[in-house]
Structures are given as C-alpha cells and as structure tokens.
Amino acid sequence: MKILKQNKTAIVTGGASGIGWAITEKFIGANIQTVIIGRDQQKLKKAKDKFGKLCIPMACDLSETGRIPDLVEEIESKYGGINILVNNAGINLKKDFLTVSDEEFQQILQTNVAAVFTLSREVSKKMIHQGGGSIINISSMAAVYGLPKVIAYTASKAAIEGMTRAMAVELSPKGIRVNCIAPGFISTDMSAKALNGDKERLQKVLSRTPMGELGKPGDVGDAALFLALESAKYITGVILPVDGGNSIGF
Ligand code: NAI
C-alpha cells in the first residue's frame, strides 16, 4: 500500500543518531515525510518510535554501494517522489597518519565519499524526472584547516566540498540545488570519541571558537531545513559553516 503522499519526502542518511537525528526531527516538525537510512536496526526503531508515522526507517549499509540503486527504487515506488536528500552518514578514524592502513583509508572513503556519490546519482535521476529537488552534503572543519590525526576523514570531507560544487554546476540547470553544511564541533557520539579523553584537543577547539562552546545537533538541523526548502530557492553550491565561528577563529 502506498503511504499517503505528504508535502515533501526527504532521505536523511544516518538519520537515527547525532546530527542526522536532529535533521530528521526538524524535517518531521515541518511535515516532511523522512526516510532515514542506517545500519543499526535498534537505533532505527528508536527513531521510528520517537518520530511516528512521518518517519520511515530503512536498514542499509551504504558502503555497499551496489545496493543503492535498488534502495532508491524501493523508496520512490513505496513512498512517492524524493524531494530532498541529506548525505549525512559518515565515519571518522582518529589515528596518527603513519599508522593508518590502506584498508582503513579506503573504508572511510567508501562510506564518506563513494556512497555519497552513488546515492546522489541515483536520487538525482529521480529528482530530474520529477522536476527538481535539493541535495545537502555534510562536510567538516577538517576540510577547512589542517586537523591532525584524521587523514582519511580530511580527504573525504575535502572531496565532499569539491563534489558539492561539481554537482551544483551540473545539476542546478536541471532544477536540483546542491549545497553543503560544514559543521564545526557539535556534541554527538562522533565528537565525543574524538574529544573526550583528549583535553588538549578540546581546549584547542574551544579556544578558537568565538562563541565559546560546542554546537548542538539541532543547530545543523535548522540550517539543513533552511537549505532544503524554498527559503533557499536561489542558493546553490554554497558551503555553509555552522560552527560558532570556529572556521574564522584565531
Ligand atoms: P554519528 O556517528 O552520531 O552519526 C553518524 C551516522 O551515520 C550513524 O547513524 C551511523 O549509523 C551512520 N552511518 C555511518 N556509516 C554508515 C553506513 N555505511 N551506512 C549507513 N549509515 C551509516 O555522527 P554525527 O556526529 O552525527 O555525524 C554526522 C555527520 O556530520 C557525519 O558526516 C560527520 O562527518 C559530520 N560532522 C560531524 C561533526 C561533529 O562534531 N559531530 C563535525 C563535522 C561534521
């Protein structure tokens, strides 16, 4: 049975935790039917229980990019057109440059870059067919300045910013706006892993953040909602820092 078509349908990858959870919360608050894709069934169920009927959980490991075309087909046929895609899912690895193996490097690139490419390509085909859409990628301060011990993550997020611009010039004439949010340091499981137990790094982060504190996932959620909707209808190809000033801090 087809679910009754809402105003808009979004896909948020990694939507069952951290920043993705907050983006999902904002979208559902705006009556946007939101498909969340993740690997962890329990986390997906928890999100479904919290968000209710507008939230559609789908389990998929996006690093297995061969599964993505069928996944997108299934979402479109079951839930109607896809208007918004947020490529939020990502993984990090904090390790000295000299000790990162080829496999570890590839693994980060596979999830943070290759999966974003494949999913964006497949969703774009649907968006073009239905007359347009909005894609939002998630970058990081690692793409802005040199951050030690995150070589693969840095490579992946620099790629995301380049891909945002390349996608924007090719897809905007076809009605798809492509933008990117570069979060600063936001309180989530991922940042806790990188900062907890590393007082020096936390101190460094806070000392160069003019607003003096970590961001909240909802801060990124607000920016994603803005970029997703008609409020940003003449905006494409931008990298929007949501960082309390971290990227311009001394
Ligand atoms: P998180 O670890 O809480 O959430 C990441 C989500 O992505 C999880 O739900 C995870 O299951 C999902 N995911 C990872 N690999 C996947 C795969 N192969 N298939 C499907 N789902 C997968 O992390 P957080 O902090 O919410 O990060 C979200 C995004 O924001 C990431 O792209 C991250 O790089 C980015 N970011 C986070 C910052 C922070 O301070 N927390 C700062 C800058 C960027």
Side-chain angles (χ1 to χ4, degrees):
M1 190 183 75
K2 269 204 174 188
I3 287 187
L4 194 65
K5 181 115 171 53
Q6 306 296 318
N7 278 344
K8 287 193 189 306
T9 299
I11 296 175
V12 178
T13 66
S17 68
I19 290 173
W21 174 287
I23 295 172
T24 302
E25 190 166 39
K26 299 285 177 186
F27 281 8
I28 285 181
N31 202 34
I32 298 169
Q33 172 172 261
T34 306
V35 178
I36 56 172
I37 303 173
R39 296 168 300 180
D40 185 329
Q41 291 277 11
Q42 272 187 335
K43 278 200 215 161
L44 288 168
K45 183 177 176 312
K46 203 172 141 205
K48 173 71 185 167
D49 291 346
K50 161 84 176 154
F51 295 130
K53 70 174 177 18
L54 283 179
C55 174
I56 298 154
M58 295 196 90
C60 180
D61 182 341
L62 292 164
S63 68
E64 295 170 24
T65 51
R67 294 179 61 189
I68 291 176
D70 284 349
L71 179 75
V72 172
E73 212 51 62
E74 187 185 340
I75 293 169
E76 203 216 17
S77 64
K78 276 194 186 158
Y79 306 113
I82 303 163
N83 309 99
I84 300 158
L85 166 64
V86 185
N87 286 306
N88 164 77
I91 52 175
N92 193 3
L93 175 71
K94 190 177 164 203
K95 222 174 165 192
D96 287 338
F97 173 78
L98 295 178
T99 67
V100 176
S101 70
D102 291 356
E103 290 71 25
E104 286 169 331
F105 189 85
Q106 278 303 333
Q107 197 190 1
I108 304 288
L109 271 281
Q110 184 64 18
T111 298
N112 293 8
V113 179
V116 170
F117 160 68
T118 306
L119 185 60
S120 300
R121 184 192 64 207
E122 293 306 309
V123 168
S124 291
K125 289 178 193 166
K126 304 295 180 196
M127 286 177 168
I128 290 166
H129 188 66
Q130 81 207 15
S134 169
I135 297 177
I136 298 164
N137 296 324
I138 306 289
S139 171
S140 160
M141 288 304 113
V144 178
Y145 49 73
L147 202 56
K149 298 186 185 175
V150 285
I151 185 63
Y153 185 76
T154 298
S156 75
K157 293 304 186 181
I160 285 294
E161 295 201 355
M163 278 162 65
T164 299
R165 288 185 280 267
M167 285 162 65
V169 293
E170 221 171 313
L171 296 174
S172 298
K174 302 181 196 302
I176 303 174
R177 294 183 299 105
V178 185
N179 291 294
C180 180
I181 296 170
F185 292 81
I186 311 290
S187 296
T188 67
D189 289 350
M190 185 187 280
S191 59
K193 264 186 222 151
L195 298 175
N196 291 0
D198 190 342
K199 270 194 177 158
E200 202 184 324
R201 201 165 177 103
L202 178 62
Q203 187 46 40
K204 176 89 179 168
V205 165
L206 292 176
S207 72
R208 63 164 297 166
T209 304
M211 293 184 80
E213 58 185 12
L214 299 191
K216 297 189 174 52
D219 299 331
V220 181
D222 285 327
L225 186 64
F226 164 70
L227 288 173
L229 297 180
E230 284 65 27
S231 41
K233 65 183 186 307
Y234 196 53
I235 299 178
T236 195
V238 304
I239 316 279
L240 175 65
V242 176
D243 67 347
N246 181 273
S247 56
I248 52 89
F250 174 57

